[in-house]
Amino acid sequence: MLKIRLLFLTIFFFISCNDEQNQQTDATDLSAAYDFSKLPKKVAINAKANAILNNWEAYGIFEASVDAVYKAENREDLLLTIDNIIEKQKELEASDYPETFDQPQVRSRQKVFKTYLLKVKASLEDRTDVLPPAKEMILAYNAYRNQFNVAVNSALDINLILDDE
């Protein structure tokens, strides 16, 4: 009986030592492997849309928080940045949209961005590779920004199409 206890104790000791070594190497690899220079650049917004967006305070704060993603240096910085973006995104969602951008197409792009934002947060918390979901998040953000250009440049009146009279 003593031999069995000693055997289990020895096995437990080796397993626990191995886990500590893996955690230490993971912590150093995660901060060293963080490189967001490979993320797509932001899509430019045309002058008409930019004029409207400059008057929308909630969007300005939200955009500044998204810009911080490019400045993050490690996972901890990125996690704080993502948490900040989530808060600003909630405030943007609750704010009054300008009449030009108060469309389902714009709001749906914001929800898609929120989905990928939460995917990045989950990847950070799970300590998995964060670059692929971050690329998806930026692509969704670019689609959201591009939708502002589309909304301003669209000459099509939806009410004319939907009017059944």
Side-chain angles (χ1 to χ4, degrees), residues 1 12 14 37 53-54 63 67 80-81 90 93 96-97 101 104 110 112 115-116 127 143-144 155 163:
M1 187 71 170
F12 178 73
F14 283 118
S37 62
L53 290 174
N54 286 338
E63 185 176 20
D67 289 342
L80 290 173
T81 302
K90 287 178 184 176
E93 201 171 37
D96 292 330
Y97 272 67
F101 301 138
Q110 184 180 2
V112 170
T115 302
Y116 287 112
R127 296 223 175 253
Y144 178 55
D163 193 20

Side-chain angles (χ1 to χ4, degrees), residues 10-126:
T10 307
I11 291 172
F12 178 73
F13 176 73
F14 283 118
I15 290 173
S16 64
C17 288
N18 190 18
D19 286 343
E20 287 178 19
Q21 185 180 16
N22 287 342
Q23 289 174 354
Q24 289 174 352
T25 57
D26 285 348
T28 57
D29 290 344
L30 295 176
S31 61
Y34 184 82
D35 181 23
F36 270 80
S37 62
K38 299 174 185 173
L39 285 179
K41 302 298 178 204
K42 291 180 2 179
V43 169
I45 296 178
N46 66 25
K48 287 182 190 177
N50 205 15
I52 297 169
L53 290 174
N54 286 338
N55 296 328
W56 190 12
E57 184 180 340
Y59 180 78
I61 295 169
F62 171 72
E63 185 176 20
S65 65
V66 173
D67 289 342
V69 168
Y70 292 98
K71 298 173 186 170
E73 296 177 1
N74 55 37
R75 283 188 180 268
E76 291 77 24
D77 288 349
L78 185 61
L79 186 59
L80 290 173
T81 302
I82 294 297
D83 286 338
N84 186 31
I85 295 172
I86 290 171
E87 290 300 317
K88 301 307 178 198
Q89 191 275 333
K90 287 178 184 176
E91 292 172 10
L92 179 67
E93 201 171 37
S95 72
D96 292 330
Y97 272 67
E99 185 177 335
T100 309
F101 301 138
D102 196 10
Q103 302 175 358
Q105 297 92 333
V106 174
R107 290 188 180 266
S108 67
R109 297 295 191 297
Q110 184 180 2
K111 288 182 182 183
V112 170
F113 173 75
K114 180 180 177 182
T115 302
Y116 287 112
L117 181 64
L118 295 174
K119 188 175 177 181
V120 171
K121 183 174 181 176
S123 178
L124 284 168
E125 290 176 351
D126 291 343

